[in-house]
Amino acid sequence: METLDAEKRFTTGQVIMAQGEEGDCAYFIQDGRVAIHVTTANGERLDMGTRGEGSLIGEMAIVDNQPRSATIVAMEDCTLLRISKDDFARGVQAANPIVTLISQVILARYRDVLSRSETLGEYGPVGLLEEQEREYAMQSRIGDAIRMANEFKQAIAAGQLFLEYQPMLDLKSGNVVGMEALMRWQHPDRGRISPAEFIPMAEDSGLIVEATRWAMREACSALARVDAALPGIGPELFVSINISAPDFEDEHFFERFHEILQQMQTDPKRIHLEIIERVLIRQLSDVRLLLDRFREIGTSIAIDDFGTGYSSLSYLHRYPIDILKVDQSFIRDMTDDETSMRLVRSILTLGENMGMKIVAEGVETAAQAEILRDLDCDLAQGFHFARPMGETALIEYLKIGRND
Ligand code: C2E
Ligand code: CA
Ligand code: CA
């Protein structure tokens, strides 16, 4: 995350910040405990208590230009995450949710300090603040969010991310035609973390942009390895990559994508980008221009979770969209629920009329596959055919999965 520069370590007794000096950063205590004291105008030293793991210290320096109002010393060896004033300001402008959470804590604390102790400044009466702080931390869950974002940032560099691939099949021929790349995080202590947990955090913190670039590079190199292992099958396959809102908002998105493909010598036609509807609704003209550029180089655009987002379909004919992925909830309910069945049928008709391919997601049973085949649905993906799998398993699956 932009706002988290670096881990800083302080040893026992080391001064982290000194009263009166100019402060250019705040710290989040990742590990260890610190003691706070204030020296009054007549030279008297007042102990203001201690702070431990999960606390934010020195935060006033990143919201105003006042000198440090207290001295903070490491009571034991500490690991702090440095949050610089500049990054904080940039983050506020970008409305980064973690930054917003921090601002809430700061403002709540500031208001409290002002109302309860006008003389002692931000470090207030002993004890009182520590108690409130625990409350704030709990309320905002800011500690968890910051810690996880910081770990995720390191995870990208440390090679803890990997991709699994879920085959997508042509329903008529039964052949695998491509696969969706799904991101996985193997955390050193916590084991595998579900994308449902880390993707929203990565999106909120903006770290997804870096993760997506990593995924693109990795997916391209996997394509090359699959081609080498299966020269007869590989080159016909595409890989579908999930794109999030912050990726789309990055002004260099297309250039970076194109650059990666060139570096990896990947044919743009073999890449599909999956985007959820919500992202396409905003900034109509910009999105249109961007999508046109992808179309020019032959990269397909798929709308993910189609049917769950917006009732307005007007955007469909304004954008160059190639594929609709019918959300798994409709496929799941299709056999029992007439409404879902009708919806799937309508989406298939819509796709046909607009020249788009339809992918049915979350196909779990033979009965569902049969219905979809009868309805002339183009492609399908789901546990019935194959679960997401690692690259080696994918190559094995492709060897036996072809019907021709
Ligand atoms: P999604 O893009 O809709 O991906 C499909 C999800 O459905 C995957 O969950 C897949 O494992 C699961 N799935 C596939 N077939 C079936 C089935 O037959 N039944 C059921 N119940 N589930 C099935 P996964 O891998 O846990 O990913 C969850 C979500 O996380 C994805 O939903 C996507 O929104 C996000 N995600 C995963 N990888 C990435 C990534 O690289 N980038 C971004 N931006 N988002 C990702
Ligand atoms: Ca997807
Ligand atoms: Ca989906």
Side-chain angles (χ1 to χ4, degrees), residues 274 304-305 327-328 361:
E274 298 192 5
D304 205 353
D305 303 348
D327 189 64
Q328 18 187 302
E361 274 197 277

Side-chain angles (χ1 to χ4, degrees), residues 180 242 274 276 304-306 325-328 361 381:
E180 177 173 3
N242 288 285
E274 298 192 5
I276 54 167
D304 205 353
D305 303 348
F306 187 74
K325 295 191 80 176
V326 185
D327 189 64
Q328 18 187 302
E361 274 197 277
Q381 173 184 357

Side-chain angles (χ1 to χ4, degrees), residues 357-391:
K357 274 198 185 289
I358 307 294
V359 180
E361 274 197 277
V363 179
E364 291 185 350
T365 67
Q368 289 164 347
E370 199 49 51
I371 295 174
L372 291 162
R373 213 171 280 125
D374 287 346
L375 292 175
D376 283 332
C377 177
D378 305 294
L379 307 179
Q381 173 184 357
F383 295 169
H384 171 63
F385 304 105
R387 289 185 177 256
M389 55 186 100
E391 194 180 308

Side-chain angles (χ1 to χ4, degrees), residues 39-60:
T39 308
T40 64
N42 50 21
E44 197 187 342
R45 177 190 157 123
L46 295 176
D47 286 323
M48 294 291 153
T50 69
R51 299 283 164 80
E53 192 184 315
S55 292
L56 198 59
I57 53 171
E59 69 277 8
M60 283 307 170

Side-chain angles (χ1 to χ4, degrees), residues 134-378:
R134 267 192 288 278
E135 234 177 84
Y136 297 142
M138 251 166 49
Q139 276 168 16
S140 62
R141 299 193 318 277
I142 171 184
D144 286 348
I146 294 181
R147 210 172 287 126
M148 191 169 182
N150 190 56
E151 284 181 353
F152 186 71
K153 186 173 187 172
Q154 291 167 356
I156 304 176
Q160 292 165 18
L161 299 185
F162 65 101
L163 294 179
E164 282 197 328
Y165 302 91
Q166 188 176 32
M168 292 160 90
L169 288 88
D170 179 307
L171 273 171
K172 286 220 175 58
S173 67
N175 287 340
V176 178
V177 289
M179 49 267 165
E180 177 173 3
L182 294 158
M183 200 180 289
R184 304 290 181 247
W185 179 8
Q186 185 70 36
H187 189 281
D189 312 318
R190 293 174 58 197
R192 253 210 211 189
I193 302 179
S194 154
E197 196 179 338
F198 74 80
I199 295 285
M201 170 281 297
E203 290 176 342
D204 287 351
S205 61
L207 286 170
I208 192 75
V209 174
E210 205 180 324
T212 302
R213 280 187 204 143
W214 169 83
M216 286 173 167
R217 214 169 275 123
E218 177 60 21
C220 288
S221 64
L223 272 185
R225 287 187 293 266
V226 170
D227 290 1
L230 305 165
I233 303 170
E236 291 168 31
L237 301 174
F238 65 81
V239 66
S240 203
I241 299 168
N242 288 285
I243 302 300
S244 294
D247 297 314
F248 235 67
E249 283 152 15
D250 173 19
E251 53 180 334
H252 302 297
F253 180 52
F254 178 82
E255 283 77 10
R256 291 278 152 74
F257 170 78
H258 202 217
E259 218 171 81
I260 291 170
L261 263 55
Q262 283 175 330
Q263 280 166 6
M264 308 302 293
Q265 299 183 315
T266 305
D267 180 354
K269 294 191 189 64
R270 296 181 68 191
I271 305 290
H272 293 184
L273 300 179
E274 298 192 5
I275 305 161
I276 54 167
E277 280 171 292
R278 187 163 47 81
V279 177
L280 297 180
I281 303 293
R282 291 179 301 188
Q283 305 154 344
L284 291 174
S285 56
D286 287 2
V287 170
R288 164 92 227 208
L289 288 174
L290 179 60
L291 295 185
D292 281 342
R293 300 183 77 184
F294 285 109
R295 171 149 292 180
E296 272 164 34
I297 61 167
T299 294
S300 292
I301 303 292
I303 301 198
D304 205 353
D305 303 348
F306 187 74
T308 56
Y310 285 77
S311 48
S312 158
L313 296 176
S314 59
Y315 71 92
L316 275 185
H317 68 84
R318 290 200 216 121
Y319 292 143
I321 288 157
D322 309 280
I323 299 157
L324 302 179
K325 295 191 80 176
V326 185
D327 189 64
Q328 18 187 302
S329 60
F330 304 118
I331 307 300
R332 187 186 56 222
D333 300 341
M334 198 172 56
T335 39
D336 309 318
D337 172 28
E338 189 49 40
T339 316
S340 294
M341 184 68 158
R342 251 183 265 134
L343 215 130
V344 173
R345 259 204 214 104
S346 321
I347 296 175
L348 284 161
T349 311
L350 182 80
E352 199 180 332
N353 291 337
M354 303 199 65
M356 296 168 186
K357 274 198 185 289
I358 307 294
V359 180
E361 274 197 277
V363 179
E364 291 185 350
T365 67
Q368 289 164 347
E370 199 49 51
I371 295 174
L372 291 162
R373 213 171 280 125
D374 287 346
L375 292 175
D376 283 332
C377 177
D378 305 294

